[in-house]
Amino acid sequence: MKILKIDHLGIAVNTLEEGNKFWGEILGLKLEGTETVEEQKVTTAFYPVGDSEVELLISTAPDGPIAKFIEKKGTGFQHVSFRVANIEEALAELQEKGVALIDKTPRMGAGGAKIAFLHPKATGGVLVELSERD
Ligand code: ZN
């Protein structure tokens, strides 16, 4: 599999206003835009950093995955996303290597990207996302 770069770091926050206080106002990162992914019950807010992004994750519903994450672990680092050249190829290779996958086939994420999550039990506790976009 070919990993091209760290695409983004996903960080769970309670509200955009709250998250923006540190990432936007204090660090001075520029909020490039927000996008709601209804299927995931999440709004993402993108702050480009060089060739990568910080992505704030705000739950849109109390039963969404980000709301549940915050309930269990609190706000903070949630996942790292690697941009790959070919996501289907990467998933096939990982399955061959016996890596537990949350998504065996890619789904649509923010920004029109194809994404898939690896299971944290296979990665030493880190939620890893693969993403491919044109
Ligand atoms: Zn992500």
Side-chain angles (χ1 to χ4, degrees):
M1 115 186 61
K2 190 168 185 208
I3 295 179
L4 303 173
K5 64 171 188 172
I6 290 181
D7 191 81
H8 60 270
L9 301 174
I11 294 164
V13 297
N14 286 311
T15 64
L16 178 55
E17 292 67 32
E18 188 185 297
N20 191 62
K21 271 187 194 135
F22 177 71
W23 300 97
E25 290 171 24
I26 293 177
L27 290 191
L29 300 178
K30 193 173 177 302
L31 176 59
E32 193 188 57
T34 63
E35 184 179 342
T36 298
V37 182
E38 291 295 351
E39 189 205 335
Q40 285 299 302
K41 298 178 179 173
V42 70
T43 294
T44 60
F46 294 92
Y47 296 79
V49 182
D51 220 16
S52 304
E53 288 178 335
V54 166
E55 178 183 309
L56 301 186
L57 307 165
I58 305 115
S59 187
T60 59
D63 63 337
I66 295 304
K68 284 184 192 157
F69 175 88
I70 291 175
E71 211 177 280
K72 244 200 281 184
K73 299 188 172 170
T75 56
F77 177 73
Q78 204 261 347
H79 70 272
V80 58
S81 179
F82 291 107
R83 175 90 59 99
V84 294
N86 183 320
I87 196 166
E88 283 88 2
E89 214 174 86
L91 290 172
E93 183 182 329
L94 289 167
Q95 265 193 301
E96 213 169 281
K97 289 178 174 170
V99 173
L101 303 174
I102 293 175
D103 301 301
K104 290 192 173 65
T105 54
R107 51 191 159 101
M108 293 308 286
K114 289 197 273 186
I115 63 165
F117 285 97
L118 280 52
H119 202 289
K121 77 181 180 197
T123 66
V126 179
L127 182 58
V128 174
E129 177 188 273
L130 302 180
S131 72
E132 178 194 333
R133 67 177 100 188
D134 304 322

